[in-house]
Amino acid sequence: MERGVFSCPKWHGALWFLTMLCVLHAAKAEITCRSCRPGNKWRPRELLLRFDASESATGSKREVFGHGPGPGRTGAAGADSRRLRCAAGSAECASARAERKRNTRNLRAKGDAGANDTSEIKVSSVKTSDRRRSGDGAGLTSWHRERVRRSSDGEVRSAAPAQSKDPGEESSSAAGRRLTRSGEERRAAGQRQDEPKLNSSTFALTGDSSHNQAMVHWSGQNSSVILMLTKLFDFNLNSVTESSLWRSTDYGATYQKLNDKVGAKTILSYLYVSPNNKRKIMLLTDPEVESSLLISSDEGATYQKYRLNFYILSLLFHPEQEDWILAYSHDQKLYSSMEFGRRWQLVHERVAPNRFYWSKMGLDKEPGLIHLETSISEGQALYVTCKLQNCTDANKGKPFPGYIDPNSLVVQDEYVFVQVSTAGRPIYYVSAKRDVFTPMKLPKYTLPKDLHVISTDENRVVAAVQEWNQNETYNLYVSDTSGVYYTLALENVVSSMGPEGNVMVDLYEVAGIKGMFLANKKTDNQVKTHITYNRGRDWRLLQAPSKDLRGNSIHCLLPYCSLHLHLHVSANPYTSGNIASRDSAPGIIVTSGSIGAELTTSNVSVFITSDAGNTWRQIFDEEYAVLYLDQGGALVAIRHTPLPIRHLWLSFDEGRQWNKYGFTNTPLFVDGVLGEPGEETSS
């Protein structure tokens, strides 16, 4: 087996193609929200590769998991969830020693990882030999694996029937695994010479063939530095036993191993980056061996080591001050640092996991204020505010008079929410602009039993409420500016349970256009997708495309037939998943769905709109991951498939026309695509 990374230094923004699996988790809370998700407790992007010991000459078996949206609103297929969890910095992923599992709960291998590994991890630099635009180069990076043993009868169907089929991907036997090649393979190779392609050279990550996890940091923003932390996670010991740190200064063309700079015997477990200064890097050692931090201020070139006397589960960086950090420990203690981790001070004990927030300028009295929920007893908690470096009883604030329910504090934009249960019935309180708390006023006869804060944009609260007579659906409500009075926006929005018992509501807030939502509503046992442009005041069905990929007319008349979309999103940064939109590309939405009387999981295709959902076009009739580059001026599509591929598709006209490019001569297993940070750039 071979694993590697394909990269190219210049394009509309560079890409990574990855064949390691991202596994993220979520957990349930009494009130959920965007800001209380661990996506804001920043942790780097982590990949986990599952080696199946049952793999044989009959083929291979792999599993992919992914969840919830971060601020960038990415999407993903499969077991996807709205909440960004472990790999993004969740304290909920681990509240005790069992929480050492970090993103591996669903990854228990049937055999020891790497036990029969015949692989080599490689990194390949890639550049285009046929550019679509003058002056724009190509930038691609990809983790890849080449399995030594392959099936000779596996078959790959065309990624897009309207496009030309690649002979090199026609069957798994053409993957270049054998020492001899058939006449058909030789003919396929001859045809490849004329196609537009990305030429690559390979750099081996020597000694890491058994590593089954990787964490990647790409500085981006015109920086050529890429850091990669590879690890061997032992599923029997439930811990990391080996690690290697690699650094590239040329967009991934070559890498330098830095183990000697961090300590040859040091086992690194996590890599953190300041969101306000990408040059500042923090490495966390495995606390079972050594509890330390290694800090760099020069994009990982040099490091200084600092001892820790606690075990970090998650970090929360200040939104503006690059050196201010909150750290949550395994024993529910919250620590603060104003020196990027060089010194730490205890803020508070018995802090609820994932229920601590930085103050917001213009609303809170001082920038160093922290909002947090503290546990009093099994059923009681307190909402308190503390000064960053002086959280004494005399300096604590108690904005809410009395106890609140555990895991209910939400601080999001100008609103603060808490829950108090009386006689078994929850009462929800809200404070706007840090004013006094007032009970939320839902319409008469509404009896809520669960509430999710969906959005707090433009001085309005959008909340999904499950009422006493609902089990699998939620009603959508929109507030006035005070956040107190609510009106019904849409009934019976469907929901599902995530892998850890978290609720996922089928409601998607479109990036780049305020007040635009997509929702899946259940009517007469049929699920139909609706769209609104005015924050739920008016909803309508989606008009299906008039033609399919082959140009054949589609006869689909409203309201009996319409376009229906899968709205689950993912925190996996390497897959675009079910649906994706970007603030930098307003009006462009890429999503998977089906055409008919209701939403189905069969006959799923990929659709795109470039006019904010007014009209749609079918672009692929199989699942594809689509990446935005250059403010949507360039789109990259790569096929979701368990079989090896060697092509990607590029569009420079908002998905109207797609051109196929080969990025390798030998088909590779690709699990996702990562763009250079900041899709508005054209580096």
Side-chain angles (χ1 to χ4, degrees), residues 266-569:
T266 300
I267 298 178
L268 303 173
S269 57
Y270 286 94
L271 182 154
Y272 299 86
V273 184
S274 169
N276 301 304
N277 185 348
K278 301 297 178 64
R279 294 180 58 84
K280 293 190 174 182
I281 311 294
M282 181 184 296
L283 297 171
L284 179 64
T285 63
D286 190 326
E288 294 183 4
V289 180
E290 174 189 8
S291 186
S292 300
L293 284 176
L294 291 104
I295 296 174
S296 171
S297 298
D298 52 10
E299 289 188 289
T302 59
Y303 293 89
Q304 290 180 310
K305 181 178 285 188
Y306 298 86
R307 298 286 181 177
L308 288 175
N309 58 4
F310 62 97
Y311 171 17
I312 294 177
L313 285 183
S314 66
L315 297 179
L316 178 62
F317 290 87
H318 193 276
E320 297 168 354
Q321 300 290 336
E322 62 185 54
D323 291 334
W324 292 12
I325 310 173
L326 296 177
Y328 188 74
S329 71
H330 69 288
D331 52 358
Q332 294 188 315
K333 294 180 181 179
L334 187 66
Y335 295 83
S336 68
S337 173
M338 300 182 72
E339 301 174 56
F340 198 71
R342 292 173 176 84
R343 291 187 180 86
W344 294 92
Q345 179 174 320
L346 177 65
V347 176
H348 209 286
E349 298 181 348
R350 297 176 62 86
V351 177
N354 218 39
R355 301 288 169 167
F356 45 93
Y357 310 84
W358 285 108
S359 58
K360 187 174 178 64
M361 291 294 293
L363 290 173
D364 294 289
K365 295 180 180 179
E366 51 187 290
L369 198 68
I370 305 169
H371 302 262
L372 53 91
E373 177 185 313
T374 64
S375 301
I376 302 301
S377 62
E378 184 176 346
Q380 292 181 323
L382 280 176
Y383 166 32
V384 300
T385 57
C386 270
K387 292 183 178 181
L388 180 61
Q389 294 289 313
N390 190 19
C391 190
T392 62
D393 289 337
N395 290 322
K396 286 182 185 177
K398 295 183 179 179
F400 185 82
Y403 297 117
I404 64 174
D405 290 352
N407 295 318
S408 71
L409 174 65
V410 172
V411 181
Q412 186 165 302
D413 297 327
E414 65 180 69
Y415 298 98
V416 181
F417 304 87
V418 297
Q419 172 183 314
V420 178
S421 294
T422 304
R425 178 183 174 184
I427 300 175
Y428 302 101
Y429 290 83
V430 63
S431 165
K433 297 181 179 179
R434 308 299 189 259
D435 204 347
V436 296
F437 281 87
T438 306
M440 296 168 61
K441 306 293 185 182
L442 296 170
K444 193 175 182 181
Y445 305 120
T446 301
L447 296 175
K449 62 179 180 181
D450 193 21
L451 182 142
H452 298 260
V453 178
I454 304 296
S455 171
T456 51
D457 293 336
E458 294 186 316
N459 303 319
R460 294 285 191 280
V461 178
V462 178
V465 176
Q466 189 173 61
E467 301 188 30
W468 67 273
N469 61 338
Q470 294 178 304
N471 293 316
E472 298 179 352
T473 60
Y474 281 72
N475 292 341
L476 194 64
Y477 291 88
V478 180
S479 78
D480 62 353
T481 56
S482 70
V484 174
Y485 297 95
Y486 291 78
T487 57
L488 180 64
L490 188 68
E491 292 183 291
N492 295 322
V493 178
V494 298
S495 67
S496 58
M497 297 299 293
E500 301 251 344
N502 55 292
V503 176
M504 300 183 295
V505 181
D506 263 21
L507 179 70
Y508 181 76
E509 184 176 10
V510 177
I513 301 179
K514 299 294 186 182
M516 182 177 174
F517 291 86
L518 291 159
N520 284 329
K521 178 182 178 180
K522 191 172 186 179
T523 305
D524 298 329
N525 292 321
Q526 289 186 325
V527 177
K528 299 175 182 287
T529 301
H530 293 70
I531 189 171
T532 179
Y533 297 96
N534 51 17
R535 204 173 295 274
R537 186 180 305 119
D538 303 292
W539 297 85
R540 65 172 176 82
L541 297 170
L542 299 178
Q543 178 65 60
S546 58
K547 295 183 182 297
D548 63 13
L549 274 176
R550 301 168 182 84
N552 300 322
S553 297
I554 298 177
H555 301 285
C556 185
L557 300 177
L558 295 172
Y560 312 104
C561 174
S562 59
L563 175 62
H564 309 286
L565 309 178
H566 295 280
L567 301 179
H568 285 176
V569 294

Side-chain angles (χ1 to χ4, degrees), residues 50-68:
R50 174 172 181 164
F51 295 103
D52 194 334
S54 65
E55 178 185 333
S56 67
T58 60
S60 61
K61 178 180 179 182
R62 301 186 298 138
E63 296 182 20
V64 182
F65 309 81
H67 305 284

Side-chain angles (χ1 to χ4, degrees), residues 88-113:
S90 174
E92 296 177 30
C93 298
S95 59
R97 294 300 290 177
E99 297 161 18
R100 279 283 305 152
K101 296 182 180 179
R102 285 197 190 103
N103 303 332
T104 60
R105 202 165 297 165
N106 292 328
L107 273 181
R108 293 199 170 272
K110 297 179 181 177
D112 292 343

